[in-house]
Amino acid sequence: MNNQNVLNELRSILPSAELKINEPLNAHTYTRLGGCADVRVFPNTLEDARAAVEYAYQSNYPLTILGKGSNVIIQDGGIRGIVLNLSSLKSIQKDEEKVIAQAGARIIDASEFARDSKLSGLEFACGIPGSVGGAVYMNAGAYGGEIADCLESVLAVTKDGKLVKLTADELDLSYRHSNVEENGLLVLEATFQLEVGEYKDIKAIMDDLTEKRETKQPLEYPSCGSVFKRPPGLFAGKLIQDSQLQGTRIGGAEVSKKHAGFIVNIDNATATDYLDVIHHVQRTVKEKFDVDLEREVRVIGEPPEKP
Ligand code: FAD
C-alpha cells in the first residue's frame, strides 16, 4: 500500500487527527537527526490514538511511537509505516495526591504542575526533556529519582487496539527499562502517586537540580542526553573520559568536551556519524577497560540507501 492510500484510509477513520506524509523528522528530535516518516499521525483524542493502533495492527502496517524525540536516533533512511505522536494529548490534572498526565505532556510540565499543586515526588524530572509516555517507557530518572518511585498506573493501548489499565508493577520497571516495547504498548496516560509537600521546599530542590544540569551538561548543542547506560558499579562518562575520548569527532558528531556521556551534534551530523561515534566509543572502552557500554538511546528507522 502506498503512503497516500494509507493517509486516505486514516483520514476516513480518524477525521479529527492531523496527518502528514513524507515529513522529515530531523526537526522533531533533540539530536536534529533523521530521515522522513512515511505517514505521521497526531491524534487529538485518546480514542483516535487507540483507533490508529488498531488500524496499523489490522493492516499489518509498521507502527512507531515517537514522543518528544529526546532519546532516539532516527536513522537517515527515515521510518517506514506510521509514526504516531501524542503531542496533542497533553492534559495534566490533579486528584487529591495524584497527578494524572496524558502521555504527550512534557514530563517537565508534570513536574512543575506537581510543584504548583504542592505535591512532592516528581522533582527529579524537572529537567528531563521527554514526554510522559517516553518517561514511562524509559523509566526515566535523574539525581536519585526515577519514574518507578512514583508511578501508580498507566492507561495504555495493546498492539491490537484494546485499552488496558496497568499498575506500575506490571510494567516491570528497572534502570532505564520497562516492558512497554516488548508488550507492544502505547502509553496514553500516567498516574503518579505523590505526597503533600511545601511549595518552597519542592521549588528549592528543583532549582538546585536545574543548576546542576545547566552547569554540567552541554545544553547548547543538540544531543540525546546520556548515550549509554551506567554499567553496574561504574559510570559511563568516567570510562569515556578516562579513555581520552572527549572531543573525538566523526563528521558532525562529537563526544562532548563538557560531559563525556553526551555525544553532541556540532555541525549538521548525520545519524550515521552519530552511530559511528557510538561504535568507536564502545570499541575503545571495551579495549581499555573490558567493559561493554550498553546504549540507553534508542536507534530507530532505516539506514540510508547505498548509493
Ligand atoms: P522518545 O525519545 O520520543 O522515545 C523514546 C522511546 O519511548 C521510543 O522507543 C518510543 O517509541 C517510546 N515512547 C515514547 N512515547 C511513548 C508512548 N506514549 N507509549 C509507548 N512508547 C513510547 N533521560 C533520563 O532518564 N534522565 C535524564 O536526566 C535525562 N536527561 C536528558 C537531557 C537531555 C539534554 C536530553 C536530550 C535527553 C535526556 N534524557 C534523560 C533522555 C530522554 O529525555 C528521556 O529518556 C525521555 O524519557 C524520553 O522521552 P521522549 O518523549 O523524548 O521519548
Side-chain angles (χ1 to χ4, degrees):
M1 206 182 333
N2 73 31
N3 296 345
Q4 189 61 51
N5 290 348
V6 174
L7 189 85
N8 293 342
E9 286 197 0
L10 280 165
R11 197 160 271 147
S12 65
I13 301 167
L14 316 170
S16 77
E18 193 187 341
L19 305 172
K20 296 182 178 176
I21 53 172
N22 302 328
E23 200 202 6
L25 289 168
N26 55 353
H28 305 287
T29 64
Y30 272 71
T31 47
R32 299 284 173 260
L33 305 172
C36 288
D38 282 353
V39 181
R40 287 193 86 195
V41 181
F42 299 83
N44 278 313
T45 64
L46 296 182
E47 170 48 28
D48 277 3
R50 190 207 61 73
V53 173
E54 187 177 61
Y55 168 80
Y57 179 77
Q58 287 176 350
S59 326
N60 209 9
Y61 209 62
L63 174 72
T64 302
I65 300 155
L66 191 60
K68 296 289 176 205
S70 66
N71 203 39
V72 285
I73 294 173
I74 298 177
Q75 299 203 75
D76 300 316
I79 303 181
R80 302 291 73 80
I82 295 173
V83 176
L84 187 58
N85 193 295
L86 301 187
S87 53
S88 305
L89 299 172
K90 55 183 181 192
S91 87
I92 306 175
Q93 294 170 50
K94 171 180 180 294
D95 177 12
E96 298 187 343
E97 291 170 27
K98 294 175 194 196
V99 164
I100 302 149
Q102 287 188 331
R106 298 189 321 150
I107 191 71
I108 292 177
D109 290 343
S111 172
E112 291 178 354
F113 178 92
R115 175 199 62 203
D116 296 345
S117 308
K118 304 189 183 79
L119 291 174
S120 171
L122 267 175
E123 293 90 331
F124 73 88
C126 68
I128 300 178
S131 63
V132 166
V136 170
Y137 174 104
M138 290 302 302
N139 185 22
Y143 302 111
E146 60 179 10
I147 291 294
D149 299 338
C150 57
L151 184 70
E152 181 202 82
S153 60
V154 296
L155 180 67
V157 184
T158 59
K159 60 178 174 241
D160 52 351
K162 296 199 174 55
L163 274 183
V164 286
K165 186 141 191 181
L166 299 167
T167 63
D169 283 349
E170 289 174 292
L171 295 176
D172 190 24
L173 299 171
S174 59
Y175 172 60
R176 303 297 171 268
H177 167 268
S178 70
N179 63 15
V180 168
E181 181 167 304
E182 61 205 68
N183 289 341
L185 298 172
L186 167 69
V187 176
L188 289 179
E189 191 177 272
T191 300
F192 300 102
Q193 176 66 58
L194 306 174
E195 285 174 8
V196 174
E198 290 287 333
Y199 176 87
K200 68 173 175 27
D201 298 340
I202 299 168
K203 181 173 182 307
I205 295 170
M206 288 167 64
D207 289 349
D208 179 45
L209 297 184
T210 302
E211 199 198 322
K212 284 198 174 95
R213 202 176 269 277
E214 286 173 353
T215 322
K216 296 202 173 127
Q217 298 186 353
L219 301 179
E220 63 278 25
Y221 289 113
S223 82
C224 50
S226 297
V227 174
F228 303 102
K229 293 187 181 183
R230 229 175 25 230
L234 298 165
F235 290 99
K238 173 95 173 68
L239 292 165
I240 297 167
Q241 195 178 344
D242 293 348
S243 303
Q244 280 80 46
L245 282 164
Q246 283 179 281
T248 301
R249 177 173 171 175
I250 299 178
E254 182 178 280
V255 179
S256 167
K257 294 173 185 139
K258 188 170 178 185
H259 185 311
F262 280 51
I263 295 173
V264 285
N265 180 352
I266 55 165
D267 186 14
N268 297 307
T270 61
T272 308
D273 296 340
Y274 231 85
L275 293 174
D276 286 348
V277 175
I278 290 177
H279 295 143
H280 178 70
V281 168
Q282 285 173 319
R283 265 195 315 271
T284 309
V285 169
K286 177 73 178 169
E287 274 163 27
K288 293 217 173 197
F289 298 106
D290 196 24
V291 174
D292 291 304
L293 287 182
E294 188 191 340
R295 259 194 295 103
E296 175 177 322
V297 63
R298 321 296 304 159
V299 178
I300 58 178
E302 307 295 324
E305 278 178 26
K306 295 219 167 82

